[in-house]
Amino acid sequence: MTLRLREDAEVVMFAGKGGVGKTTLSAATALHLAERGYRTLILTSDPAPSLGDIFERRIGDRVVEISTNLYALELSAEEVLRRWKQKFGGEVYEVLSSFVPVREEIIDYIGSAPGIDEEFMLDYIAGIATGGEYDRVVWDTAPAGHTLRLLRMPAVFIEHLEEAAKVYLRLYSAMLKIRETLGLRRPSREVFDIIEGWKRLSEELIEFIRSPRVEVIPAGMPQGLSVAQVRRLMEELKKFGIEVNKIVMNGVLPEHPCEFHREMVRTQRRYLAELRRDYPGVELVEVPLLPVEIRGLEGIRRVERLLFGR
Ligand SMILES: Nc1ncnc2c1ncn2[C@@H]1O[C@H](COP(=O)(O)OP(=O)(O)OP(=O)(O)O)[C@@H](O)[C@H]1O
Ligand SMILES: [Mg+2]
């Protein structure tokens, strides 16, 4: 079975354990979309990005044109923080400095807190998807744990923000009294509005991730640990309200007469059969293990043909 992407999906992401082929599949998918006439951006915020390696091009914090309709971007942690600060820094300072006496450096500290980069990446990608500059975005993610954390982030944010609003409400009257002694800025009603705004933003992100505009495709290899991870992902995504109707199994071995290979093929077959049995409504797309390294557009095109069939 070959991969048929949902027509209305503007963002495609493969999720799975480290090293199962997410970057390879992402590159093949991006090339496929670009060659079908969609202006496509493939991007990653993986701290150890390999888009540059697979496309054999230097890619960094600026968008690089790879071929017709195909663009790539590797966002570094610093660039994510910089863009986050540009968008949210002022508001964060506004809110914090009305609680406690802080200097502007606090913004860097908050910006490097766990979760902020993920929340921002979601916001950033939603922005690109809506922005109209690209028809399709392929998001090359870091390994599964990271992706799941990332998808959960807006909900976690909402909880925190609700807490913050409550605390703020409690402090509000007390603060009015003590603000002169501490020399704080005058707290304003606007702080509530900012917190409300963040909450709304997080809610919109959750809605975006769950919408048909985003297609999340679990990817793995037909081996014990990887399959276990795919199963966990399926469960988590379902709990999260993300509909999954395809799984890609990469690195499927061809038949071979030697006993060592036959044994491996048997094991793989067993895992594939179990997945088919347990997820009857889900398309299982198999990509064979290639005997060569996958690099450059020619290598990626080879995977593209296997993945999408032609
Ligand atoms: N079908 C395949 N046949 C042969 N080699 C493959 C295949 N798929 C992936 N590889 C190779 O396996 C290695 C891991 O692939 P890739 O980097 O795409 O995985 P990843 O899931 O993105 O890893 P990470 O989690 O570290 O980002 C690469 O060297 C890649 O070229
Ligand atoms: Mg990768």
Side-chain angles (χ1 to χ4, degrees):
M1 190 166 283
T2 55
L3 184 59
R4 278 173 300 145
L5 295 172
R6 260 206 333 256
E7 280 299 324
D8 49 355
E10 296 157 27
V11 178
V12 180
M13 56 196 282
F14 293 93
K17 210 171 150 49
V20 297
K22 296 179 298 299
T23 299
T24 307
L25 297 168
S26 298
T29 301
L31 184 65
H32 177 76
L33 290 167
E35 290 187 341
R36 288 185 61 200
Y38 294 106
R39 200 177 149 89
T40 303
L41 176 70
I42 178 166
L43 95 171
T44 183
S45 61
D46 190 334
S50 39
L51 288 183
D53 295 335
I54 191 161
F55 284 108
E56 296 184 316
R57 287 281 298 274
R58 264 180 83 113
I59 303 171
D61 285 324
R62 294 267 152 84
V63 173
V64 171
E65 183 175 357
I66 302 285
S67 61
T68 314
N69 282 331
L70 181 56
Y71 301 83
L73 175 64
E74 287 178 344
L75 279 177
S76 64
E78 297 80 53
E79 183 63 15
V80 170
L81 178 62
R82 199 186 64 75
R83 292 178 191 217
W84 175 84
K85 265 169 74 176
Q86 210 171 40
K87 184 161 179 186
F88 296 108
E91 287 185 343
V92 166
Y93 183 67
E94 175 100 353
V95 171
L96 283 175
S97 58
S98 67
F99 277 95
V100 274
V102 283
R103 293 208 314 227
E104 288 211 29
E105 290 83 20
I106 191 74
I107 299 173
D108 286 298
Y109 182 70
I110 300 287
S112 57
I116 293 282
D117 51 343
E118 283 116 329
E119 174 90 1
F120 178 75
M121 275 308 284
L122 283 175
D123 177 66
Y124 180 68
I125 285 169
I128 296 177
T130 316
E133 193 177 346
Y134 300 97
D135 305 315
R136 294 289 183 266
V137 177
V138 179
W139 186 3
D140 178 29
T141 59
H146 189 261
T147 308
L148 284 174
R149 215 173 62 138
L150 188 146
L151 296 176
R152 272 189 227 116
M153 204 43 66
V156 173
F157 248 65
I158 289 177
E159 268 169 46
H160 287 184
L161 290 173
E162 275 167 358
E163 221 29 63
K166 268 187 241 156
V167 171
Y168 187 74
L169 198 61
R170 261 181 257 135
L171 289 182
Y172 187 77
S173 55
M175 269 195 308
L176 285 176
K177 287 184 210 125
I178 58 172
R179 75 162 199 269
E180 253 125 76
T181 354
L182 285 176
L184 292 179
R185 287 190 310 103
R186 186 192 169 78
S188 68
R189 288 294 306 180
E190 276 161 45
V191 168
F192 282 114
D193 296 339
I194 294 175
I195 294 180
E196 267 311 305
W198 290 345
K199 249 180 73 183
R200 237 188 345 268
L201 187 70
S202 291
E203 281 157 5
E204 281 164 18
L205 286 180
I206 293 178
E207 215 172 282
F208 173 70
I209 299 165
R210 288 179 180 157
S211 77
R213 297 170 65 194
V214 178
E215 174 145 40
V216 185
I217 306 173
M221 287 184 168
Q223 299 158 355
L225 299 187
S226 173
V227 167
Q229 180 79 263
V230 164
R231 287 174 180 276
R232 266 197 300 279
L233 255 169
M234 294 293 285
E235 217 168 284
E236 289 274 342
L237 291 170
K238 191 173 165 187
K239 253 195 263 168
F240 203 80
I242 294 178
E243 198 201 323
V244 172
N245 54 13
K246 54 200 69 121
I247 297 173
V248 175
M249 277 288 129
N250 186 26
V252 176
L253 289 167
E255 286 287 359
H256 194 276
C258 116
E259 184 46 38
F260 177 80
H261 279 92
R262 281 224 302 264
E263 181 64 34
M264 284 175 79
V265 170
R266 265 198 294 277
T267 309
Q268 286 203 346
R269 289 258 164 92
R270 181 162 54 78
Y271 281 117
L272 291 167
E274 284 172 6
L275 282 174
R276 254 184 227 107
R277 180 197 64 201
D278 295 341
Y279 302 98
V282 174
E283 290 178 9
L284 204 64
V285 179
E286 293 179 26
V287 177
L289 183 73
L290 293 179
V292 292
E293 277 202 53
I294 302 158
R295 286 188 123 179
L297 285 180
E298 278 322 300
I300 297 169
R301 189 166 288 113
R302 205 167 153 180
V303 177
E304 186 264 334
R305 290 206 189 104
L306 291 165
L307 186 59
F308 292 92
R310 241 204 257 156

